[in-house]
């Protein structure tokens, strides 16, 4: 599909699933080298990163544990500027390598908040892997260890990303048609 309609908005295809798969594979290859001896805790930030996390974790070849947190910082089409923790950590993080798996880093507020929270637990190191990064939207100084694709500051849906709950199931990524 070249164009889709979700609720009252129209979106155009910008990143086909094949490009996402290639970027995911490249990220997994780098992680396989970097993390093979670290036994990390891989943390999927819900809801958006569920598709990326599932695809990435199928490709990692090192021992790891997988966990989930649910955070919210968006309403409608914009960031609220605050991060609400809806489901938190259950695992012991002290002394661990923790890898946050995020669908997209735009303002950086969510990732910064999560990294700071994990560091307070005494984690050995906190790494961030994101499928998508919007450099033009980033408002925080954050270290991104693994980046799939850099994208412009457009509103997007698909591959886990949504517009008011719709579009997460799409295998491609679409940008809002203005």
């Amino acid at each position: 599909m070249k164009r889709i309609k979700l609720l009252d908005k129209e979106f155009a295809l910008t990143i086909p699933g094949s490009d996402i798969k290639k970027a995911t594979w490249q990220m997994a290859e780098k992680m396989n080298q970097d993390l093979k001896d670290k036994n990390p805790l891989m943390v999927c930030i819900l809801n958006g990163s569920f598709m990326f996390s599932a695809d990435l974790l199928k490709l990692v070849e090192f021992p790891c544990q997988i966990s989930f947190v649910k955070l919210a910082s968006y309403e409608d089409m914009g960031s609220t500027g605050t991060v609400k923790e809806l489901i938190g950590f259950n695992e012991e993080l002290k002394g661990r390598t923790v890898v946050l798996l995020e669908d997209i880093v735009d303002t950086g507020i969510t990732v910064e908040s999560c990294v700071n929270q994990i560091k307070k637990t005494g984690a050995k190191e906190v790494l961030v892997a994101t499928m998508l990064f919007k450099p033009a939207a980033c408002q925080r100084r954050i270290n991104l260890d693994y980046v799939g694709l850099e994208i412009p500051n457009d509103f997007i849906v698909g591959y886990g990303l949504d517009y008011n709950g719709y579009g997460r199931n799409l295998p491609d990524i679409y940008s809002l048609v203005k």
Side-chain angles (χ1 to χ4, degrees):
M1 295 181 284
K2 299 227 185 256
R3 285 190 179 238
I4 58 166
K5 185 168 185 177
L6 298 174
L7 301 174
D8 61 336
K9 306 278 186 229
E10 190 172 335
F11 297 85
L13 178 66
T14 52
I15 305 173
S18 58
D19 291 356
I20 296 167
K21 285 180 183 177
K22 181 180 177 186
T24 304
W25 182 83
Q26 290 171 336
M27 193 179 307
E29 285 296 300
K30 185 165 178 5
M31 286 181 162
N32 285 333
Q33 293 171 4
D34 296 350
L35 302 172
K36 64 183 173 193
D37 298 320
K38 295 194 176 193
N39 188 28
L41 175 64
M42 310 295 279
V43 179
C44 173
I45 300 176
L46 297 173
N47 285 339
S49 70
F50 77 98
M51 287 181 81
F52 162 59
S53 295
D55 288 347
L56 177 73
L57 291 167
K58 291 176 205 172
L59 300 171
V60 299
E61 299 170 348
F62 49 84
C64 65
Q65 290 179 303
I66 301 167
S67 189
F68 304 87
V69 294
K70 186 169 183 177
L71 307 173
S73 64
Y74 259 72
E75 281 183 19
D76 197 28
M77 291 176 50
S79 174
T80 62
T82 60
V83 178
K84 292 186 279 186
E85 183 179 298
L86 306 174
I87 300 172
F89 292 98
N90 293 324
E91 294 78 15
E92 175 64 43
L93 304 179
K94 187 173 183 170
R96 296 286 310 265
T97 294
V98 178
V99 182
L100 294 174
L101 304 175
E102 182 65 289
D103 55 348
I104 187 167
V105 174
D106 44 24
T107 63
I109 292 169
T110 300
V111 167
E112 180 187 59
S113 173
C114 202
V115 166
N116 289 340
Q117 181 183 349
I118 294 169
K119 284 182 177 178
K120 289 177 185 174
T121 69
K124 181 179 176 182
E125 68 180 329
V126 183
L127 305 173
V128 178
T130 184
M131 172 46 64
L132 303 167
F133 176 48
K134 291 182 181 180
C138 196
Q139 301 170 7
R140 300 291 197 263
R141 289 186 160 192
I142 50 176
N143 187 43
L144 301 176
D145 302 280
Y146 306 95
V147 176
L149 300 165
E150 287 191 9
I151 61 170
N153 191 16
D154 297 332
F155 185 80
I156 58 174
V157 297
Y159 198 67
L161 298 153
D162 74 302
Y163 170 53
N164 287 341
Y166 291 91
R168 290 190 194 279
N169 61 308
L170 300 167
D172 307 301
I173 294 175
Y174 296 80
S175 295
L176 179 66
V177 175
K178 301 197 170 48

